[in-house]
Amino acid sequence: MSNKALALRLSNAIEQQQFDEAFIQVKTLRPIDIADVLALIKPALAWQLLERLPNRSTVFSYVNTDIQVALAQEFPRDSMARLVGEMPADERADLYKCLNQDQRDTLLPALAQAKREDIRRLAAYEEGTAGALMTSDYATLGIQMDVTEALAALRLEAPDAETIYHAYVIDEQRKLLGVVSLRTLILAAPEQLIRDIMVSAIVSSNVNEDQEDVAKMVARYDLIALPVIDDGGALVGIVTHDDAMDVASDEATDDFHKSGGVSTMVGRLKDVSIGVLYRKRVFWLVFLVFGNLFSGLGIAHFEDVIAANLVLVFFLPLLVDSGGNAGSQSATLMVRALATGDVVMRDWFSLLSREAMVALLLGGTMAVAISIIGYIRGDEVVSLVLALSMMCVVMIGCVIGMSLPFVLNKMGFDPATASAPLITSVCDASGVVIYLFIASKFLVV
Amino acid sequence: MSNKALALRLSNAIEQQQFDEAFIQVKTLRPIDIADVLALIKPALAWQLLERLPNRSTVFSYVNTDIQVALAQEFPRDSMARLVGEMPADERADLYKCLNQDQRDTLLPALAQAKREDIRRLAAYEEGTAGALMTSDYATLGIQMDVTEALAALRLEAPDAETIYHAYVIDEQRKLLGVVSLRTLILAAPEQLIRDIMVSAIVSSNVNEDQEDVAKMVARYDLIALPVIDDGGALVGIVTHDDAMDVASDEATDDFHKSGGVSTMVGRLKDVSIGVLYRKRVFWLVFLVFGNLFSGLGIAHFEDVIAANLVLVFFLPLLVDSGGNAGSQSATLMVRALATGDVVMRDWFSLLSREAMVALLLGGTMAVAISIIGYIRGDEVVSLVLALSMMCVVMIGCVIGMSLPFVLNKMGFDPATASAPLITSVCDASGVVIYLFIASKFLVV
């Protein structure tokens, strides 16, 4: 059954208050699948089913934040407080950030004090940092415990912790001393001490670290969870592998969009409004119009050469585009390699010399291709002008394409700002000048 | 200390057979960090240190496959067989695929029979499928067991299993019946039965499924591991979260490269040779030269209009590029949304109407911008021609950009083949024709 059909059936069941019927429909679905269906039901109906689900807080956590807010409007205050109290700490803080002041004022007093403070603390971290990504639902152990005590402690913590597969060993100041995996605990003898079996060389992240770097760390070290510490070394949260995977995907999407000349955009493409799409695209389009004026000025400068040799115009798009295409290839390779960490800033020079070699080969191949076409359409001189121009245009395109991401990075921009459209414009302008300059030297004016 | 400096220090220590000194240097490093340093040391030296490390098989698994093969050449046969025997099953099969026949013939007889068969089975799955990605090191339980028996079974399986946090419940035919998390086991009473606490609504993947879809499933359902079953429903392996994250990253890289007109390329950019880079780039560059010939033919067709109104050439790059830029934006948004699953094939029509609205707004804005420039540089008629052309070029660019990924998908190509350079070429050719056609209607020839 499609989600739409299921949503319709559930709506009917809820309207007639047949909740048993509704339960049967969603019983075998995973929480995220239920969340997707609930998003298609009117909030005034959806909350009634949601409230009655045994795994309501998990399902609710998977609902998009704007729909969470809409549902929060419908819920009676006590019900809402219970639901929010059950949510994972990180999802709860994300929702809190999206509520308006009225909603916050209604919700907060209904929560237990510890949860209120937890929300305030988590919501205070800047978006895009480890702090904003982490959850405070982690399991801790004391260094003096033995394995039996540790397992008993984990049993107590399990209902609230996002994972008990890694437990963090802390002292009284919450300073992170080590980590013990549940696998180690299960394999150890009951009387062994945590201090003897814990791993003390731990990978951790500072609370202010960029979420992209956090995700890279989780990926590199194959972690189930990464502990997050504050400037004093105290444990304040963990980032779980699934959240890290979501961040990696979002960051890839963002880079991908930038590479096509679309500014950072939040939300799924299907849900984004026309207004948002317009705003996220218009800047680069208009900016590049002015960028392309340079190409126009180049052409204007060589108007006499063109007037005397109209055949040049025939090859103009082909020639300038080839530079842009080669440049886009180089930029794409560099931007992604910088994003995954395969390449770092200090690699620029060694990569440049290799890129020059590749460009020489590519330019040579292209020069041969175009000189043939040039000979057919024009004569030997045209053919020579085209081959020379192509060689230069491709080489300069490659150098611009591979260098611009580094330059932008150095200037504090995201290297992904070196989008294909931007590279194309820059290469076009330089390509026009190179082509017509070479032509003016060889052809009659 | 940088990796290079550490590699130098280790090389010296190994040459002088001071392995205690070498151990101290790498003791606090994570396996993947040691692997990165070993890659910088001559294989003839590196294998001697590797062989003596307590976590040698983990470190070796993190080494790039080509360096693994180089190291395998150096290892004495028995040492190598021991190391390979200790490796995770999926990494072992990947290495096996890269060995030549001689190396295979030396290695296989030295391995236990179960491992030989495991290698052959895993290596037989086609690259890019769940089968090629999965490992056979998973933990299983019988449905009749109680919790005490299950925990005892997991203690036995733990040293070999990649994860014991999810254990899979199977019958005698290895048919997958359910899954039990270690969290559930720890919280359950010792006498509870597995059949009563297992989850039987399981997310699983077929062995032939595309690895990209496997990674999406792991991400969507926040799984630690995804069970893989054969066509008969028997459990044959699991895909762990860390491998899924690597696949998601590799697939994003591949799409990213394609979007810039670079063909699928394996390995890190830093390690790729000039020859490979040339081959992965030259196809699209040359292909697009011929694509761009259409732009040239368009220009040739309207040569008279151009000759009579040279001002048109000034605006040519600007105008055609704007269509290409708008098209690149649309294509980028679609390609990524198709890759993440935010958009599916049947959304095309509803997205097209929204895209048309966005294109209208973008085209309108651009038309205003260019008509002003056109008025300054030419006259009212030129201004009108430019505004009209811009409107059409941007709208057609958007429609081409958003439709081409769907069309390519329908034709069996990766939607990411709709790269910025390809879209630019297609939009350029149509832009030239539209622009010069409109101009020929309004301007004197």
Side-chain angles (χ1 to χ4, degrees):
Chain A
M1 185 160 29
S2 77
N3 275 359
K4 270 191 189 158
L6 182 54
L8 193 67
R9 193 175 287 199
L10 287 177
S11 291
N12 290 335
I14 300 167
E15 270 180 345
Q16 293 159 34
Q17 303 288 301
Q18 293 171 341
F19 292 106
D20 288 343
E21 161 66 16
F23 286 151
I24 293 168
Q25 300 291 335
V26 300
K27 208 177 56 182
T28 59
L29 294 185
R30 309 273 307 186
I32 190 170
D33 295 327
I34 304 179
D36 277 0
V37 176
L38 284 182
L40 301 173
I41 301 177
K42 266 184 277 175
L45 294 174
W47 80 268
Q48 300 178 50
L49 177 60
L50 182 59
E51 190 192 26
R52 289 171 169 87
L53 292 177
N55 56 351
R56 56 184 169 261
S57 63
T58 317
V59 173
F60 187 63
S61 301
Y62 277 117
V63 173
N64 278 349
T65 322
D66 48 339
I67 297 176
Q68 280 182 347
V69 174
L71 285 168
Q73 302 264 5
E74 302 290 338
F75 265 91
R77 190 185 109 133
D78 287 347
S79 245
M80 190 63 207
R82 189 185 58 171
L83 182 68
V84 170
E86 291 166 355
M87 284 174 82
D90 49 347
E91 305 286 346
R92 184 164 57 206
D94 290 342
L95 170 61
Y96 177 78
K97 286 188 238 172
C98 297
L99 296 177
N100 62 37
Q101 199 54 50
D102 271 5
Q103 290 173 308
R104 290 180 182 185
D105 291 344
T106 319
L107 184 66
L108 276 190
L111 290 175
Q113 196 191 341
K115 294 203 165 145
R116 283 208 298 273
E117 281 169 11
D118 187 62
I119 286 185
R120 287 216 186 88
R121 208 179 55 245
L122 286 180
Y125 293 108
E126 203 186 326
E127 272 309 306
T129 63
L133 185 63
M134 71 187 186
T135 180
S136 49
D137 297 333
Y138 49 89
T140 58
L141 297 174
I143 196 160
Q144 316 285 5
M145 288 179 176
D146 64 21
V147 167
T148 309
E149 288 168 333
L151 283 171
L154 287 186
R155 276 192 199 97
L156 283 179
E157 300 195 51
D160 284 328
E162 273 208 29
T163 184
I164 56 164
Y165 299 140
H166 283 179
Y168 300 92
V169 185
I170 52 174
D171 63 15
E172 291 81 46
Q173 282 76 48
R174 303 196 71 80
K175 199 163 170 315
L176 182 60
L177 304 174
V179 62
V180 184
S181 72
L182 188 53
R183 182 199 283 249
T184 306
L185 282 176
I186 292 280
L187 288 174
E191 66 283 358
Q192 274 192 283
L193 293 176
I194 293 302
R195 67 159 69 250
D196 296 328
I197 59 171
M198 74 178 190
V199 175
S200 45
I202 338 169
V203 183
S204 69
S205 153
N206 182 280
V207 78
N208 295 313
E209 196 144 353
D210 190 314
Q211 64 172 5
E212 193 170 359
D213 295 327
V214 170
K216 268 188 224 170
M217 231 184 280
V218 172
R220 177 171 172 84
Y221 295 112
D222 294 345
L223 302 172
I224 284 187
L226 176 75
V228 180
I229 55 176
D230 65 14
D231 292 330
L235 181 66
V236 287
I238 59 168
V239 173
T240 51
H241 64 95
D242 48 319
D243 289 341
M245 197 166 178
D246 292 343
V247 166
S249 170
D250 289 348
E251 295 282 350
T253 299
D254 191 38
D255 279 359
F256 206 81
H257 286 173
K258 282 198 184 126
S259 79
V262 179
S263 310
T264 302
M265 193 168 75
V266 176
R268 296 192 304 177
L269 183 61
K270 254 162 92 171
D271 308 328
V272 172
S273 73
I274 292 177
V276 169
L277 273 175
Y278 172 76
R279 283 198 302 279
K280 296 298 176 185
R281 296 173 59 172
V282 74
F283 168 74
W284 277 110
L285 283 185
V286 172
F287 180 87
L288 293 173
V289 162
F290 292 99
N292 275 318
L293 278 179
F294 288 102
S295 299
L297 288 175
I299 292 176
H301 183 77
F302 292 101
E303 210 159 332
D304 301 342
V305 194
I306 298 174
N309 305 277
L310 265 182
V311 67
L312 291 176
V313 183
F314 174 79
F315 290 102
L316 186 67
L318 199 168
L319 211 72
V320 298
D321 265 12
S322 295
N325 290 343
S328 296
Q329 291 181 331
S330 309
T332 302
L333 289 168
M334 287 305 144
V335 167
R336 183 62 187 167
L338 282 168
T340 58
D342 282 353
V343 158
V344 290
M345 285 299 284
R346 66 168 177 278
D347 294 326
W348 179 75
F349 193 75
S350 69
L351 289 171
L352 186 64
S353 54
R354 191 187 61 178
E355 182 69 19
M357 279 304 299
V358 176
L360 202 67
L361 290 171
L362 290 172
T365 311
M366 302 283 284
V368 170
I370 200 169
S371 64
I372 297 169
I373 307 170
Y375 185 74
I376 296 168
R377 176 109 197 142
D379 53 27
E380 310 89 75
V381 186
V382 169
S383 173
L384 177 68
V385 166
L386 288 173
L388 268 180
S389 305
M390 185 59 103
M391 196 78 203
C392 295
V393 162
V394 168
M395 289 203 62
I396 287 181
C398 287
V399 170
I400 292 175
M402 85 141 289
S403 303
L404 204 53
F406 286 93
V407 173
L408 287 167
N409 199 358
K410 202 86 188 171
M411 287 165 65
F413 291 100
D414 187 334
T417 315
S419 65
L422 178 61
I423 298 282
T424 304
S425 291
V426 175
C427 293
D428 277 7
S430 50
V432 163
V433 173
I434 293 166
Y435 174 40
L436 295 177
F437 175 77
I438 293 178
S440 71
K441 296 290 159 201
F442 284 87
L443 295 170
V444 284
V445 179
Chain B
M1 187 159 29
S2 78
N3 274 1
K4 270 190 189 160
L6 182 53
L8 193 66
R9 194 175 287 199
L10 288 177
S11 291
N12 290 336
I14 300 167
E15 271 181 344
Q16 294 158 32
Q17 302 287 303
Q18 293 171 340
F19 292 106
D20 288 342
E21 161 67 17
F23 286 151
I24 293 169
Q25 300 291 334
V26 300
K27 209 177 55 181
T28 58
L29 293 185
R30 310 273 306 186
I32 190 172
D33 295 328
I34 303 179
D36 277 0
V37 175
L38 284 182
L40 301 174
I41 301 178
K42 268 183 275 174
L45 294 174
W47 79 268
Q48 301 179 48
L49 176 60
L50 182 59
E51 190 192 25
R52 289 171 170 86
L53 292 177
N55 56 352
R56 56 184 169 260
S57 64
T58 317
V59 172
F60 188 62
S61 301
Y62 278 117
V63 173
N64 279 350
T65 323
D66 48 339
I67 297 176
Q68 279 182 348
V69 173
L71 285 167
Q73 303 264 6
E74 302 290 339
F75 266 90
R77 191 187 110 132
D78 287 346
S79 243
M80 189 63 208
R82 188 185 60 170
L83 182 67
V84 170
E86 291 166 354
M87 283 175 82
D90 48 347
E91 306 285 348
R92 184 164 56 208
D94 290 342
L95 169 61
Y96 177 77
K97 285 187 240 171
C98 297
L99 296 179
N100 61 38
Q101 199 53 49
D102 270 4
Q103 291 173 308
R104 289 180 183 185
D105 290 343
T106 319
L107 184 66
L108 275 189
L111 289 175
Q113 195 190 343
K115 294 202 166 146
R116 283 207 299 272
E117 281 168 14
D118 187 62
I119 285 185
R120 286 217 187 88
R121 209 180 54 247
L122 286 180
Y125 293 109
E126 202 186 328
E127 273 307 306
T129 63
L133 185 63
M134 72 188 186
T135 180
S136 50
D137 297 333
Y138 51 87
T140 57
L141 297 174
I143 196 160
Q144 315 286 5
M145 289 180 176
D146 65 20
V147 167
T148 309
E149 289 168 333
L151 283 172
L154 287 186
R155 276 192 199 97
L156 283 180
E157 300 196 52
D160 284 328
E162 273 210 30
T163 184
I164 56 165
Y165 300 140
H166 283 179
Y168 301 93
V169 185
I170 52 174
D171 64 14
E172 291 79 48
Q173 282 75 47
R174 303 198 70 82
K175 198 163 172 317
L176 183 60
L177 304 174
V179 61
V180 184
S181 71
L182 187 53
R183 183 200 283 250
T184 306
L185 283 176
I186 291 280
L187 288 174
E191 68 283 0
Q192 275 192 284
L193 293 176
I194 293 301
R195 68 159 67 249
D196 297 328
I197 59 171
M198 74 178 191
V199 176
S200 45
I202 338 170
V203 184
S204 69
S205 154
N206 182 280
V207 78
N208 295 314
E209 195 143 356
D210 190 315
Q211 63 172 7
E212 192 170 0
D213 295 327
V214 171
K216 269 188 224 170
M217 229 184 280
V218 172
R220 176 170 172 85
Y221 296 112
D222 294 345
L223 301 173
I224 283 187
L226 177 74
V228 181
I229 55 177
D230 65 15
D231 292 331
L235 182 65
V236 286
I238 58 168
V239 173
T240 51
H241 65 94
D242 47 319
D243 289 341
M245 198 168 177
D246 291 343
V247 165
S249 171
D250 289 347
E251 294 283 350
T253 299
D254 191 38
D255 279 0
F256 206 82
H257 286 173
K258 283 198 185 127
S259 79
V262 179
S263 309
T264 301
M265 191 169 76
V266 176
R268 296 193 303 176
L269 182 61
K270 255 161 93 171
D271 308 329
V272 172
S273 72
I274 292 177
V276 169
L277 273 175
Y278 172 77
R279 283 198 302 279
K280 296 298 177 185
R281 295 173 60 172
V282 74
F283 169 74
W284 277 111
L285 283 185
V286 172
F287 180 88
L288 293 173
V289 161
F290 293 98
N292 275 317
L293 278 178
F294 289 102
S295 299
L297 289 175
I299 292 177
H301 183 78
F302 290 103
E303 210 158 334
D304 302 342
V305 195
I306 298 173
N309 305 276
L310 267 181
V311 66
L312 290 176
V313 184
F314 175 79
F315 290 102
L316 186 66
L318 199 168
L319 211 72
V320 298
D321 266 12
S322 296
N325 290 342
S328 296
Q329 290 181 331
S330 308
T332 302
L333 289 169
M334 286 308 144
V335 167
R336 183 63 186 165
L338 282 168
T340 58
D342 282 352
V343 158
V344 290
M345 285 299 284
R346 67 168 175 279
D347 294 327
W348 178 74
F349 193 75
S350 68
L351 289 172
L352 186 65
S353 54
R354 191 188 60 176
E355 182 69 19
M357 280 303 299
V358 176
L360 203 66
L361 291 171
L362 290 173
T365 310
M366 303 283 284
V368 171
I370 200 169
S371 65
I372 296 169
I373 308 171
Y375 186 73
I376 295 168
R377 175 112 197 140
D379 53 26
E380 308 90 75
V381 185
V382 170
S383 171
L384 178 68
V385 166
L386 289 172
L388 268 179
S389 304
M390 184 60 103
M391 195 79 204
C392 296
V393 161
V394 168
M395 288 203 62
I396 288 181
C398 286
V399 170
I400 292 175
M402 86 142 286
S403 303
L404 203 54
F406 286 93
V407 173
L408 288 167
N409 200 359
K410 201 86 188 172
M411 288 164 65
F413 292 101
D414 186 335
T417 316
S419 64
L422 178 61
I423 298 281
T424 304
S425 291
V426 175
C427 292
D428 276 7
S430 50
V432 162
V433 174
I434 292 166
Y435 174 42
L436 295 178
F437 175 77
I438 293 178
S440 71
K441 295 289 158 201
F442 284 88
L443 296 170
V444 284
V445 179

